[in-house]
Amino acid sequence: MKNDFHFSYETYSHWKDLPIEDQVLVDKAYEAVELAYAPYSQFQVGASVRLDNDAIVTGNNQENAAYPSGLCAERVALFYIGANYPKQSIKTICIVAKGDLLSLSNLLSPCGACRQVMLESENRQDTKIKIIMVNQDHRTMVIPSVLDLLPFGFGYNE
Ligand code: THU
């Protein structure tokens, strides 16, 4: 039997073309990026998350001299939510970045480990989590579900 995995996504030439609710979320991610602790990579990442009650939680990457001990912005935000708002569903997560590690037009998409953690968050609730990825040139991609970014992730349930 042949099967297909398929998903649709939206692109915008600038995040300011997003609906206002999402623009607010992007703004918060840009505030968070300024507080990142990334002295080793010099690449700052900001994540903002809108919860079901419309509260917004932010995170940023936190690096460490023992490199693997650091944590990505997305997981800082999601684990904070797990620790403090375990019963709140997540509506949307937004990611922005600042630095030379990627070129301006490079897609800023979450790393594999963050996708796995995002998938667990999605599986803990009965709604999908929307992902907004803003490149450094402001081009923006909106993906409707974490499952789209990590087909067959660990714990996948058909
Ligand atoms: N980083 C994130 O915060 N999120 C990602 O999705 C990918 C990478 C961080 C980790 C590290 O502090 C820096 O970016 C360079 O890899």
Side-chain angles (χ1 to χ4, degrees):
M1 184 167 55
K2 189 175 179 300
N3 298 287
D4 283 305
F5 232 119
H6 168 265
F7 74 98
S8 306
Y9 59 95
E10 294 166 13
T11 52
Y12 296 81
S13 50
H14 198 290
W15 61 270
K16 292 210 164 160
D17 299 327
L18 291 167
I20 188 71
E21 186 179 88
D22 290 336
Q23 286 185 45
V24 169
L25 198 62
V26 178
D27 257 330
K28 291 287 177 194
Y30 276 120
E31 281 176 25
V33 90
E34 295 301 329
L35 302 174
Y37 178 66
Y40 304 102
S41 70
Q42 299 287 342
F43 188 71
Q44 289 84 14
V45 183
S48 54
V49 181
R50 185 182 289 279
L51 302 177
D52 213 29
N53 63 0
D54 279 323
I56 293 176
V57 172
T58 59
N60 40 43
N61 51 334
Q62 296 294 318
E63 297 186 347
N64 191 274
Y67 286 11
S69 306
L71 203 61
C72 292
E74 297 91 318
R75 277 177 286 164
V76 168
L78 290 174
F79 288 149
Y80 180 87
I81 291 165
N84 294 283
Y85 307 100
K87 299 217 182 316
Q88 279 288 326
S89 295
I90 294 170
K91 283 193 199 167
T92 310
I93 181 165
C94 166
I95 310 151
V96 307
K98 209 174 104 177
D100 294 333
L101 191 68
L102 301 182
S103 77
L104 288 188
S105 61
N106 250 139
L107 176 64
L108 178 71
S109 70
C111 78
C114 287
R115 290 177 197 213
Q116 183 69 41
V117 169
M118 286 160 60
L119 186 65
E120 183 106 7
S121 299
E122 188 166 90
N123 287 342
R124 281 173 74 171
Q125 58 187 55
D126 47 22
T127 50
K128 293 177 171 177
I129 298 175
K130 183 169 85 180
I131 302 124
I132 302 175
M133 310 186 304
V134 182
N135 294 354
Q136 290 185 85
D137 63 4
H138 300 297
R139 280 186 306 126
T140 299
M141 202 177 259
V142 181
I143 317 279
S145 166
V146 180
L147 193 55
D148 299 329
L149 287 183
L150 192 63
F152 303 124
F154 185 69
Y156 175 69
N157 205 335
E158 248 184 321

